[in-house]
């Protein structure tokens, strides 16, 4: 996986943050989805006016955005009849890689994006938004990410997740415990499916 | 002679051309009217988005919006815009695409067939006669939208049973009506044709919408209050209509003319064609919550209500802050009632406890005929009380708007800018739908009933305790196992039922 690929994924996390915290942006991008198949100008608008500008991440003295090709893929899956599966799948992969992969490589096994694992906690809208914010923080804050990923056991991981607060929001105990358990047991596909399902609900 | 013949030929040609133009325009009008009947997007009719009202809307939730709240909320709002578009006078169910919403006009859905018109062959559904003075009544209320449309209202019973009624602050009952679109009606008629001998209702599977090409079945349930004698400034806040109201106890075949204001609106539509949940395991896992939703999976319910039906009261502080001078229709701001609420409805920390024995909020007492005291619930996915949202707050909010607040604001701002419309006074409650896992959305995890029950203050006023069947539209309608999630259809309609117009 190239450096550019990681930058694109981090820019995608930035887009998710923007979509989750700016209701007008999310409502506007969502209203374009039904038009994507029939109107090429809607695809261009979604990519150039919304996805790319809202993926801007400051790096040292410059700013980067997701590439056009990367944004084109997001636009394409957003306009697909099976978008609810394809977007789940994509966001699950991106979030896992940015937040929980120790070497920031994308794990080989892909998730199906079709369901959440049995026994996973149910997230209401507030917790869905918290999930986006906490994953965003993990993606960009090396210390926080290492404190979760280097934690020795389930309790320590859960505690590290519970400690993260962004814009006054945090994940509840149930969700932290469940995520920590899956991380300790290396149930990567289950984590990706869970993250993808709720990130799609909270941001798309 | 030659000149005369040439002149006659010229006249004939001109007449032929004029005739052809008239015929063409008639045929064109009919074609447009046919196409517009379903309000599907076309070259002549644009589909709106949540910002801009338009007269048409797509047949289903689709693509990236098909599995999340935002997609269903956007759809619910564009559907609200289109169904409340002014109707083309004389063409039932057709929007007038040459106008835009302003002030107050008769909406498209009001001209759909009513439940009563389907069963007009039955004694309890017969339309009474209009009183002789109806025209003078209409003439005396010239500012009420008319365009030759009158509602016929008689039903005051809530679906919660025991002949429960809702009495407003002027001691009049709230009236309910059910309208259905042409697709729903045609589905019923097809079932009738297949089932010539038996009038018992077979399982009617209503059409599900798809993309820009197929309109699915839609049912609209409306709630109205009598506002004939209300102060003009307050009355003008409502979407109004003329209604002829049947008094079942009166010894007359005539109904009584009144001006009514819309207080609540439910829109049930079959718009979710790719939900994808598999029910193959449901027989093995009896009692699984998602399996209970099987019957309603393709439907969604969106709900809207008048801003001043009732205030949000979650705690004593909210009660202290209720705007006493607001024209609440279903909430009593009298001192005695306030004292009663204060004493009986809160715990020691001042938090609302509706289940307390002597708390009469949202409570129906069949022995009492007095006005109900209803409060609005506020789900935990809102940062603002619906009654506190207006164009100014929506434009420049102090606290951030949640996604649901923002969706509620869409309607307020859309009808506040350019030309104002009464629809700015209606609040989007939310939309319920079923996702690909078979779960009802939106998801709530709070244990407080007033934060987790989606309900309309006028259509489900008596919600107090959360049960498995009352926390939202889907929870209730999934029990209509014989009728494809719609309770209102009792049996097969009489053929050739009138449009209701």
């Amino acid at each position: 996986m190239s450096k550019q690929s990681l930058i694109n994924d981090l820019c995608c996390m930035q887009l998710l943050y923007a979509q989750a915290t700016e209701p007008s942006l999310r409502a506007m991008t969502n209203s374009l989805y039904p038009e994507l198949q029939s109107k090429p100008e809607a695809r261009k608008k979604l990519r150039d006016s919304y996805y790319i500008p809202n993926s801007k991440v400051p790096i040292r003295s410059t700013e980067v955005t997701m590439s056009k090709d990367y944004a084109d893929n997001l636009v394409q899956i957003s306009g697909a009849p099976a978008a609810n599966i394809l977007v789940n799948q994509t966001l699950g992969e991106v979030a896992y890689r940015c937040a929980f992969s120790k070497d920031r490589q994308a794990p080989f096994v892909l998730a199906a994006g079709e369901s959440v694992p049995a026994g996973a906690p149910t997230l209401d809208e507030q917790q869905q938004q918290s999930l986006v914010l906490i994953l965003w923080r993990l993606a960009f804050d090396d210390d926080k990410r290492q404190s979760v990923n280097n934690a020795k056991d389930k309790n320590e991981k859960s505690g590290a997740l519970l400690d993260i607060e962004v814009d006054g929001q945090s994940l509840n105990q149930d969700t932290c415990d469940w995520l920590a358990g899956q991380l300790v047991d290396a149930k990567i596909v289950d984590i990706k499916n869970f993250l993808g399902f709720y990130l799609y609900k909270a941001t798309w | 002679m030659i000149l005369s013949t040439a002149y006659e030929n010229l006249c004939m040609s001109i007449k032929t051309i004029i005739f052809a133009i008239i015929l063409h325009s008639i045929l064109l009008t009919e074609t447009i009217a046919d196409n517009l009947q379903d309000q599907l997007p076309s070259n002549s009719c644009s589909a709106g988005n949540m910002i801009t009202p338009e007269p048409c809307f797509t047949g289903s939730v689709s693509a990236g919006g098909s599995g999340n709240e935002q997609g269903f909320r956007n759809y619910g709002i564009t559907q609200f815009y289109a169904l409340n578009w002014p109707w083309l006078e004389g063409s039932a169910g057709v929007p007038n695409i040459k106008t835009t919403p302003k002030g107050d006009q008769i909406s498209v859905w009001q001209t759909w067939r009513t439940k009563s018109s389907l069963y007009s062959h039955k004694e309890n559904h017969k339309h009474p006669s209009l009183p002789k003075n109806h025209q003078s009544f209409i003439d005396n209320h010239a500012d009420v939208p008319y365009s030759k449309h009158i509602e016929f209202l008689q039903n005051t019973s809530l679906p919660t049973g025991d002949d429960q009624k809702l009495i407003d602050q002027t001691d009049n009952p709230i009236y309910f009506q059910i309208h259905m679109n042409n697709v729903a009606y045609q589905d019923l008629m097809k079932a009738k044709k297949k089932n010539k001998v038996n009038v018992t209702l077979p399982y009617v599977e209503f059409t599900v919408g798809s993309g820009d090409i197929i309109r699915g079945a839609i049912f609209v349930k409306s709630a109205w209050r009598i506002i004939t004698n209300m102060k003009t400034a307050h009355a003008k806040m409502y979407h109004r209509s003329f209604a002829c109201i049947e008094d079942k106890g009166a010894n007359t075949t005539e109904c009584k003319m009144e001006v009514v204001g819309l207080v609540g609106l439910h829109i049930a539509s079959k718009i979710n064609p790719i939900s994808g949940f598999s029910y193959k395991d449901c027989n093995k896992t009896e009692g699984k919550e998602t399996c209970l939703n099987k019957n309603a999976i393709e439907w969604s319910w969106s709900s809207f209500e008048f801003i001043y039906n009732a205030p949000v009261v979650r705690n004593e502080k909210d009660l202290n802050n209720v705007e006493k001078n607001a024209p609440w229709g279903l909430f009593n701001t009298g001192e005695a009632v306030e004292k009663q609420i204060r004493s009986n409805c809160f715990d020691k920390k001042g938090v609302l406890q509706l289940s307390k024995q002597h708390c009469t909020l949202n409570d129906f007492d069949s022995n009492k005929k007095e006005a109900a005291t209803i409060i609005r619930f506020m789900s935990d996915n809102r940062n603002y009380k619906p009654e506190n949202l207006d164009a100014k707050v929506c434009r420049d909010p102090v606290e951030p708007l949640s996604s649901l607040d923002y969706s509620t604001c869409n309607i307020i701002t859309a009808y506040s800018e350019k030309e104002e419309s009464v629809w700015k006074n209606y609040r989007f409650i939310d939309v319920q739908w079923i996702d690909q896992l078979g779960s009802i959305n939106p998801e709530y995890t709070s244990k407080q009933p007033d934060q987790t029950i989606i309900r309309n203050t006028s259509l489900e006023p008596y919600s107090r305790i959360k049960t498995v069947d009352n926390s939202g539209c889907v929870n209730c309608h999934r029990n209509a196992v014989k009728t494809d999630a719609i309770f209102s259809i009792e049996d097969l309609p009489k053929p050739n039922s009138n449009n209701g117009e």
Side-chain angles (χ1 to χ4, degrees), chain A residues 10-77:
Chain A
L10 288 170
C11 289
C12 183
M13 292 304 296
Q14 184 62 38
L15 173 65
L16 296 187
Y17 176 87
Q19 293 260 81
T21 53
E22 294 173 40
S24 56
L25 171 67
R26 186 172 166 219
M28 187 52 78
T29 52
N30 190 295
S31 72
L32 290 170
Y33 300 147
E35 300 177 0
L36 297 177
Q37 271 199 28
S38 58
K39 293 182 183 168
E41 64 274 18
R43 292 174 216 157
K44 194 169 179 300
K45 188 176 178 185
L46 184 59
R47 183 191 66 187
D48 296 342
S49 302
Y50 297 112
Y51 279 177
I52 291 180
N54 286 290
S55 73
K56 197 182 286 176
V57 174
I59 293 184
R60 294 190 186 96
S61 58
T62 184
E63 285 178 327
V64 293
T65 59
M66 61 176 60
S67 69
K68 272 195 174 184
D69 285 348
Y70 189 92
D72 275 337
N73 180 55
L74 292 183
V75 171
Q76 188 177 29
I77 58 176

Side-chain angles (χ1 to χ4, degrees), chain B residues 204-425:
Chain B
V204 180
E205 194 157 342
F206 289 106
T207 303
V208 59
S210 177
D212 286 355
I213 49 171
I214 299 174
R215 170 67 64 222
I218 305 173
F219 288 81
V220 171
K221 185 168 187 184
S222 54
W224 302 85
R225 65 179 296 214
I226 294 172
I227 58 169
T228 311
N229 300 317
M230 186 181 281
K231 270 200 279 187
T232 310
H234 290 161
K236 279 187 164 180
M237 296 177 76
Y238 288 88
H239 169 56
R240 290 179 292 173
S241 186
F242 288 108
C244 205
I245 294 181
E246 184 183 8
D247 180 354
K248 285 177 190 167
N251 187 23
T252 171
T253 56
E254 285 184 354
C255 49
K256 189 182 175 211
M257 290 297 291
E258 299 278 8
V259 176
V260 288
L262 186 74
V263 288
L265 200 65
H266 268 339
I267 305 175
S269 34
K270 222 170 165 181
I271 58 165
N272 191 10
I274 52 165
S275 49
F277 180 65
S278 166
Y279 285 95
K280 64 179 189 292
D281 294 331
C282 280
N283 290 338
K284 294 179 211 163
T285 51
E286 200 177 333
K288 194 177 163 191
E289 174 72 15
T290 48
C291 292
L292 299 175
N293 303 329
K294 184 179 178 181
N295 192 44
I297 195 156
E298 290 173 318
W299 289 89
S300 85
W301 280 262
S302 52
S303 193
F304 306 83
E305 65 184 38
F306 183 64
I307 180 174
Y308 290 123
N309 278 1
V312 169
V313 176
R314 296 163 298 178
N315 47 48
E316 256 192 293
K317 193 179 161 199
D318 283 344
L319 184 66
N320 299 339
N321 291 336
V322 168
E323 175 57 65
K324 298 280 192 307
N325 296 323
W328 303 112
L330 303 173
F331 181 80
N332 190 330
T333 51
E335 277 181 25
V337 173
E338 186 183 327
K339 193 178 168 191
Q340 200 275 344
I341 297 169
R342 215 175 278 284
S343 309
N344 298 322
C345 298
F346 301 109
D347 64 15
K348 286 175 186 169
K349 290 177 182 169
V351 176
L352 179 72
Q353 296 295 337
L354 279 174
S355 56
K356 284 184 87 173
Q357 194 185 356
H358 299 293
C359 178
T360 55
L361 285 172
N362 292 12
D363 192 22
F364 175 71
D365 185 344
S366 59
N367 297 320
K368 291 183 183 172
K369 302 289 178 197
E370 63 199 40
T373 299
I374 304 297
I375 55 166
R376 178 176 275 148
F377 287 175
M378 179 168 153
S379 52
D380 56 10
N381 49 5
R382 280 187 188 279
N383 294 339
Y384 284 87
K385 296 174 186 172
E387 63 268 27
N388 288 352
L389 288 172
D390 57 24
K392 187 172 173 294
V393 174
C394 290
R395 255 194 314 271
D396 189 17
V398 179
E399 297 287 319
L401 298 170
S402 72
S403 170
L404 180 55
D405 292 327
Y406 181 77
S407 295
T408 310
C409 279
N410 287 150
I411 288 176
I412 299 167
T413 50
Y415 291 117
S416 299
E417 287 166 2
K418 292 180 188 169
E419 290 175 298
E420 286 209 348
S421 156
V422 290
W423 295 111
K424 72 176 183 174
N425 299 321

